[in-house]
């Protein structure tokens, strides 16, 4: 088949499970269409230093079930400067790369938008973040796996909490977003969830009264409170709850373990669909867009809109948790 384009791909920002499945889909989807593919190592850092290699179908074999990203990723603050970005553009030109796919979160997508505004290269973003805080897609790659990772740990904590009649405050990731927290809380049967999107949820006095009723009057064996890191931190919340309720409290910070492990079938298939869709978008000549999944259909949204709009918070799930935790 004729080699139509030279497509480069990189993963950027916080890694998320499913990035490898997405790299596989982009690589094989490109080769299938007769395009050349170059993998850039360590995100925008590799773009600035020209650290890259040609990808073959074999490079992406046996990785669909691996968490992380085999290309590596980075936070690369210097890429925010247009003078620095120009170095990367020169390298792309030298390599005769005419399209770039970036897999990452909101920050990485801001970088994609800059490249689209400053060059003629066709650029497409693919949303990947365990935070699920990206507008234009129902789910970002990695969210479902992170929810299930955290849920598994919350289920385990419930067993020890029940045995000791304790309150557990469990901190989950979510830099500015409560999406992961609310999903885990509802699925884990938590008594409460603290999220940045609902300021009233961090009122500790109201929370202490509720938990006191749960344990002393409703005779629940234990209580689990899920706390998004962007709302509050587990240790001070647990300390204050113990003072106010006079019940034994413990704090657990789940941390980066949420980002690891084998992606769920949902994330593998989401990643495969979005990765292959990104290649189709390039073939159609699209640029400065993000591919997402909306009502189970692939959909391109201009990056300007993606970056200017907030992903909606699921208030229905939040309210349901309140009803079901009595
Ligand atoms: P994520 O993509 O997971 O949200 P970050 O916010 O850390 O993670 O962003 C990842 C990288 O994207 C940054 O380290 C930087 O290289 C690049 N980036 C972030 N914001 C911008 C921006 N406004 N303009 C250009 N590049 C950006
Ligand atoms: O954006 C994904 C995320 O996991 C956030 O939930 C978290 O705040 C942040 O990344 C952690 O970043 P780092 O891996 O740099 O510690």
């Amino acid at each position: 088949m004729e080699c139509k384009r030279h497509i480069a791909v990189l993963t950027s920002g916080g890694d998320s499970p499913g990035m490898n499945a997405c790299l596989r889909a982009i690589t094989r989807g490109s080769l299938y269409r007769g395009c050349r593919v170059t993998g850039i190592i360590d995100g925008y850092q590799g773009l600035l230093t020209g650290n890259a290699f040609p990808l073959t179908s074999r490079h992406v074999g046996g990785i669909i079930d691996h968490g992380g990203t085999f290309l590596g990723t980075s936070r690369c603050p210097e890429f925010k400067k247009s003078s620095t970005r120009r170095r990367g553009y020169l390298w792309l030109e030298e390599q005769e790369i005419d399209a770039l796919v970036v897999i990452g979160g909101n920050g990485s997508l801001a970088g994609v938008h800059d490249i689209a505004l400053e060059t003629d290269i066709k650029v497409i973003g693919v949303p990947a973040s365990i935070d699920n805080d990206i507008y234009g897609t129902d789910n970002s790659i990695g969210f479902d796996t992170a929810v299930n990772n955290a849920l598994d740990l919350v289920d385990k904590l419930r067993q020890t909490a029940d045995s000791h009649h304790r309150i557990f405050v469990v901190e989950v990731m979510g830099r500015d977003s409560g999406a992961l927290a609310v999903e885990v809380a509802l699925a884990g049967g938590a008594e409460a969830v603290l999220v940045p999107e609902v300021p009233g949820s961090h009122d500790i006095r109201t929370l202490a009264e509720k938990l006191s009723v749960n344990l002393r009057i409703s005779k629940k064996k234990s209580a689990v409170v899920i706390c998004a890191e962007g709302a509050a931190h587990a240790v001070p919340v647990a300390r204050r709850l113990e003072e106010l309720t006079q019940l034994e409290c413990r704090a657990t910070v789940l941390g980066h373990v949420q980002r690891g492990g084998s992606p769920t079938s949902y994330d593998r298939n989401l990643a495969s669909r979005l990765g292959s869709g990104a290649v189709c978008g390039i073939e159609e000549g699209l640029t400065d867009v993000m591919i997402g999944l909306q009502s189970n259909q692939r959909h391109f949204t201009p990056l300007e809109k993606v970056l200017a709009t907030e992903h909606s918070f699921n208030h229905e799930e939040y309210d349901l948790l309140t009803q079901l935790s009595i």
Side-chain angles (χ1 to χ4, degrees), residues 14 75 129-131 173-175 229 256 259:
R75 313 264 189 204
S129 167
I130 65 159
D131 290 357
M173 277 186 164
R175 192 170 35 185
E229 64 173 331
H256 290 75
R259 284 210 320 231

Side-chain angles (χ1 to χ4, degrees), residues 258-311:
Q258 293 162 94
R259 284 210 320 231
S262 184
T264 58
S265 64
Y266 180 88
D267 272 329
R268 294 182 201 192
N269 293 344
L270 173 69
S272 301
R273 291 176 72 187
L274 297 188
S276 118
V279 177
C280 295
I282 285 167
E283 216 180 18
E284 286 168 31
L286 296 180
T287 189
D288 204 10
V289 292
M290 184 194 81
I291 184 162
L293 207 66
Q294 295 181 6
S295 307
N296 207 24
Q297 298 295 316
R298 289 189 296 197
H299 188 86
F300 291 97
T301 308
L303 276 165
E304 195 173 6
K305 181 145 195 218
V306 170
L307 298 172
T309 321
E310 287 199 359
H311 187 275

Side-chain angles (χ1 to χ4, degrees), residues 12-15 19 43-45 73-81 85 103-115 128-129 131 133-134 175 307:
S12 168
D15 66 296
M19 279 182 161
Y44 290 128
Q45 192 62 52
T73 184
S74 63
R75 313 264 189 204
C76 174
E78 58 273 35
F79 199 75
K80 293 183 189 172
K81 279 204 266 165
R85 284 196 294 274
I103 309 166
N106 275 314
S108 307
L109 296 170
V112 180
H113 185 51
D114 287 340
I115 300 170
S129 167
D131 290 357
D133 57 350
I134 304 169
R175 192 170 35 185
L307 298 172

Side-chain angles (χ1 to χ4, degrees), residues 128-151:
S129 167
I130 65 159
D131 290 357
N132 207 27
D133 57 350
I134 304 169
Y135 177 81
T137 190
D138 296 339
N139 277 338
S140 47
I141 296 168
F143 175 64
D144 186 65
T145 306
V147 167
N148 283 290
N149 283 342
L151 184 60

Side-chain angles (χ1 to χ4, degrees), residues 119-277:
T119 72
D120 291 331
I121 294 163
K122 306 281 179 219
V123 273
I124 295 200
V126 182
S129 167
I130 65 159
D131 290 357
N132 207 27
D133 57 350
I134 304 169
Y135 177 81
T137 190
D138 296 339
N139 277 338
S140 47
I141 296 168
F143 175 64
D144 186 65
T145 306
V147 167
N148 283 290
N149 283 342
L151 184 60
D152 180 49
L153 297 164
V154 166
D155 288 346
K156 288 175 175 147
L157 290 171
R158 176 68 85 173
Q159 294 170 8
T160 175
D162 272 354
S163 308
H164 287 266
H165 312 290
R166 283 172 172 161
I167 296 170
F168 263 78
V169 182
V170 186
E171 182 176 321
V172 300
M173 277 186 164
R175 192 170 35 185
D176 306 303
S177 160
L180 179 58
V182 78
E183 201 74 13
V184 171
L186 184 62
E191 276 58 40
V193 60
L194 279 57
V195 289
E197 294 85 351
V198 184
S201 67
H202 354 144
D203 184 282
I204 301 290
R205 283 190 179 277
T206 311
L207 180 61
E209 279 164 31
K210 175 187 162 59
L211 298 177
S212 198
V213 169
N214 280 155
L215 273 82
R216 294 203 166 91
I217 299 175
S218 305
K219 302 289 179 206
K220 283 194 166 203
K221 283 188 190 167
S222 67
V224 169
V225 176
I226 306 292
C227 168
E229 64 173 331
H233 290 292
V235 173
V237 170
R239 201 176 297 135
R240 187 75 183 118
L241 282 176
E242 194 161 82
E243 280 166 18
L244 291 168
T245 60
Q246 295 296 300
L247 292 161
E248 234 189 325
C249 294
R250 292 288 185 272
T252 303
V253 180
L254 297 187
H256 290 75
V257 70
Q258 293 162 94
R259 284 210 320 231
S262 184
T264 58
S265 64
Y266 180 88
D267 272 329
R268 294 182 201 192
N269 293 344
L270 173 69
S272 301
R273 291 176 72 187
L274 297 188
S276 118

